[in-house]
Amino acid sequence: MISSLELARQCGISQGTVDRALHNRPGISAKTREKVLRMAKRNGYRPHPAARELLTGQSLTVGAILPTVNNVFFMDLFNELARALAKQNLRLQLTPVENRDAFLEMLEDFTARRYRLAVVIPPEDNIAVPRAITVGIPLISLFSPCRGSGIRFLSADEEETGRDAVRYLHRRGHQRILHLTYARRAYAIAARAQGYKEQCEELDLTSKVLLNVDAINLREALQRYRPTALFCHNDWMALRTMVLLSEIGLRVPEDISVLGVDNSPTLAALQPGLTTLAYPLASIVDTIMLILAEKPSRLNLVRYLLVERSTVRKLTGQPRREKKSHDQKIQTHRES
Amino acid sequence: MISSLELARQCGISQGTVDRALHNRPGISAKTREKVLRMAKRNGYRPHPAARELLTGQSLTVGAILPTVNNVFFMDLFNELARALAKQNLRLQLTPVENRDAFLEMLEDFTARRYRLAVVIPPEDNIAVPRAITVGIPLISLFSPCRGSGIRFLSADEEETGRDAVRYLHRRGHQRILHLTYARRAYAIAARAQGYKEQCEELDLTSKVLLNVDAINLREALQRYRPTALFCHNDWMALRTMVLLSEIGLRVPEDISVLGVDNSPTLAALQPGLTTLAYPLASIVDTIMLILAEKPSRLNLVRYLLVERSTVRKLTGQPRREKKSHDQKIQTHRES
DNA sequence: TTGTAGGCGTTATCAC
DNA sequence: GTGATAACGCCTACAA
């Protein structure tokens, strides 16, 4: 790796002139510029990002943290984000972390490195982020909130998602709807279950939530509650449920209906027939890019909680849809 | 973010003394050291990694590149690697790339940043890596080889994996074994299919390879070849196949056997009953860590191709197992 | 049109 | 024990 000073020596000129050539700045003869560019190419010259970052105090990297839990939906999201960032000449640095300590440690590192932005999926809910970090880097938390000033929390309206699911199934004639979800205490999980329960009450349906589905408790719940539909927290759990149902000997959708959430492209490849609620993944990425486009000074002042679906729309410039949007949102490759 | 110079001023001492305190170096009084550490903590001081990297010419980061193809097996691998690196105080920087250009661009960036090592899963086979990169950073390519001097290619012996699968199924009494794999031209895919074919010939079995399984061509192949066992390229494809079989109305393993490859922990959670060949994931991570432990000067001289299973063992210090190892390698939660 | 100087933050090596 | 100085590579401002 050659330095710009070394390059200047090889060309027999000064470092300043080399800089003018490399950055297309005025005040240099065409001949000299050409020569510098030729030599640079020949030597495979690349500016040292560390030096530039040190000088400018700004990095061209966006840091991302995700739990080591292997979640295909998270990967779909970050792949999308990486693509969007690449277009703006920014890189995404992904780091898997196992726990709260590693999470905060990584955030400190991002701050010290002057990353442009941190986009995180916290390994736990409500982690308290020290002020030293929040003043140092704009922070967007996805799916699960963090505690701390100026942190943006980006999420779909999970309660409404839960309600949507119940309404959709009820309209299809279902009366006994079971909700399958995780025992983990996380915002998205709790809120979605809450919406499910509330909507069930409004429609005079009995609600029942099953945590951490397995062969035994699923079988038991099926016998006890005789549900005609299963509303699963996400596509992954829907898939697992379908596998279990097939072992039990129940067919989907003839014997029982299964509804997932996410519309994960990766899982769609595995099980194209899955019925699922589409998660506004593209909106999330769009919103992140919008936040990034703002001036850093303004970033630390604004704070909003994207728990209202309309907020997402406003940010991404989409018009508020009419009532029937509920149906449009539902991807039905196979009716369930 | 406070600098060490600023910290020194606040303590009323020089930068050099601050450095002695922060790095536990001798030549400083206990009282001064304590004071510096206290002030550092209070101000949330963190050395700027860019400055350190600039000075030392070495980064504490390992760069990783993986295709945007959402592959749970890759994520399992990198999660393991991140964990192992964290123990050595190294970070893993993961970057998803879409194509050859982005891949090479990212490698150049890694080189410019003086990363300790690049661990890559190339988006295509046999990408030519310029010398400028290979001399700048030690490079390990996983699953799919790259062209270029000094590049280490780390992979299990894929041909042998293909043979193992056939031998295993044949010993269970299967005579008609179909191989389901991808159309993509990649080393692991081609080599595994090659091993499958060769072993079939040796055992006087007819071999048939089905590319890009879907509902239609699977049904057709089942009717035409009447296989009793399906050997799938990986767990993911095995799962997809099992879903299709269940739609067709065939039960696994009663009507037909399905064998996957990877022993992916993530997919095991989805379908615990899947029979699969264990991929030596831990060995791969161990080997990477061993390569990392060597001196960089030596790294650029050695070159080896880990296509012989014995080579992996040698590097990781495991004894060569006896014949029955084939059986031990196979994870059979449910006999297929 | 070109050369020179200074500083980003850290660390190693001098001198006191 | 402590303080001063130089250097890593880049970029900007100013001087020639």
Side-chain angles (χ1 to χ4, degrees), chain B residues 55-186:
Chain B
L55 188 65
T56 64
Q58 263 276 0
S59 152
L60 291 178
T61 304
V62 168
I65 301 177
L66 77 171
T68 44
V69 178
N70 195 336
N71 184 320
V72 288
F73 179 60
F74 293 167
M75 282 312 294
D76 283 333
L77 171 70
F78 283 121
N79 278 341
E80 275 297 316
L81 183 58
R83 215 165 302 186
L85 288 171
K87 280 185 198 147
Q88 313 244 0
N89 218 0
L90 294 169
R91 339 200 149 289
L92 183 70
Q93 127 117 51
L94 261 180
T95 315
V97 302
E98 275 186 275
N99 51 45
R100 170 193 303 243
D101 287 342
F103 174 76
L104 289 173
E105 162 65 23
M106 215 51 222
L107 269 184
E108 282 201 23
D109 190 61
F110 285 0
T111 311
R113 285 175 193 276
R114 273 77 169 172
Y115 280 178
R116 287 281 299 274
L117 174 71
V119 181
V120 305
I121 302 177
E124 306 167 24
D125 259 21
N126 292 318
I127 295 178
V129 181
R131 260 194 76 77
I133 290 173
T134 56
V135 299
I137 189 171
L139 182 53
I140 299 179
S141 164
L142 300 182
F143 307 120
S144 165
C146 288
R147 282 207 324 278
S149 64
I151 301 174
R152 268 166 215 76
F153 173 45
L154 223 60
S155 163
D157 186 342
E158 297 295 0
E159 271 193 46
E160 199 58 26
T161 305
R163 288 207 192 86
D164 269 354
V166 174
R167 282 194 288 254
Y168 169 77
L169 291 168
H170 182 253
R171 228 176 301 129
R172 294 282 180 287
H174 293 283
Q175 296 287 328
R176 292 186 306 284
I177 304 167
L178 197 61
H179 181 38
L180 311 187
T181 189
Y182 299 92
R184 213 187 119 219
R185 177 85 206 152

Side-chain angles (χ1 to χ4, degrees), chain A residues 66-309:
Chain A
L66 78 172
T68 45
V69 179
N70 196 334
N71 185 320
V72 288
F73 179 60
F74 293 168
M75 281 312 293
D76 283 333
L77 172 70
F78 283 122
N79 278 339
E80 275 298 314
L81 182 59
R83 217 164 301 185
L85 288 171
K87 279 183 199 148
Q88 315 246 359
N89 218 3
L90 294 169
R91 339 199 150 288
L92 182 71
Q93 129 116 48
L94 262 179
T95 317
V97 302
E98 275 186 276
N99 51 46
R100 171 192 302 244
D101 287 343
F103 174 76
L104 288 173
E105 161 68 21
M106 216 50 223
L107 269 185
E108 284 200 22
D109 190 61
F110 286 1
T111 311
R113 286 175 192 276
R114 272 77 167 172
Y115 280 177
R116 287 281 300 272
L117 174 70
V119 181
V120 305
I121 302 176
E124 306 167 25
D125 258 21
N126 292 318
I127 295 179
V129 181
R131 261 195 77 76
I133 290 173
T134 56
V135 298
I137 189 171
L139 182 54
I140 299 179
S141 164
L142 300 183
F143 308 120
S144 165
C146 287
R147 282 209 322 277
S149 63
I151 301 174
R152 268 167 215 76
F153 173 44
L154 223 60
S155 163
D157 186 341
E158 297 294 1
E159 272 193 45
E160 199 57 26
T161 306
R163 289 208 191 84
D164 269 354
V166 173
R167 282 194 288 255
Y168 170 76
L169 291 168
H170 182 254
R171 227 174 304 128
R172 293 282 180 287
H174 293 282
Q175 296 286 330
R176 293 188 304 283
I177 304 167
L178 197 62
H179 181 36
L180 311 188
T181 188
Y182 299 93
R184 215 187 115 216
R185 176 85 206 151
Y187 164 78
I189 292 167
R192 217 173 276 170
Q194 180 66 23
Y196 156 80
K197 278 184 198 156
E198 287 175 7
Q199 188 63 56
C200 279
E201 264 180 42
E202 279 180 33
L203 293 171
D204 261 333
L205 309 175
T206 53
S207 65
K208 174 64 191 173
V209 176
L210 185 63
L211 303 178
N212 290 341
V213 56
D214 60 41
I216 295 163
N217 67 5
L218 177 62
R219 199 181 284 264
E220 193 185 272
L222 290 176
Q223 282 175 352
R224 183 184 303 205
Y225 303 100
R226 301 263 158 216
T228 60
L230 303 177
F231 163 42
C232 300
H233 178 75
N234 56 23
D235 288 350
W236 188 260
M237 181 166 266
L239 226 64
R240 172 90 184 104
T241 302
M242 289 172 82
V243 169
L244 290 175
L245 289 173
S246 131
E247 284 175 7
I248 290 172
L250 289 173
R251 289 161 310 164
V252 177
E254 292 85 353
D255 301 324
I256 193 164
S257 291
V258 173
L259 178 63
V261 175
D262 281 352
N263 193 27
S264 155
T266 302
L267 286 182
L270 189 57
Q271 170 60 284
L274 180 66
T275 300
T276 184
L277 283 166
Y279 197 95
L281 192 144
S283 295
I284 298 242
V285 172
D286 287 350
T287 308
I288 293 173
M289 297 309 290
L290 277 173
I291 292 175
L292 199 55
E294 306 221 30
K295 292 275 163 287
S297 56
R298 281 198 54 201
L299 274 177
N300 289 327
L301 301 174
V302 196
R303 168 173 182 162
Y304 43 85
L305 224 60
L306 294 185
V307 289
E308 278 185 50
R309 186 184 304 166

Side-chain angles (χ1 to χ4, degrees), chain B residues 4 15 23 45 47 52 55:
Chain B
S4 70
Q15 213 177 357
H23 293 83
Y45 170 76
R52 181 185 278 155
L55 188 65

Side-chain angles (χ1 to χ4, degrees), chain A residues 4 19 23 45 47-48 52 55:
Chain A
S4 70
D19 187 66
H23 293 83
Y45 170 77
H48 195 322
R52 180 183 279 159
L55 188 67

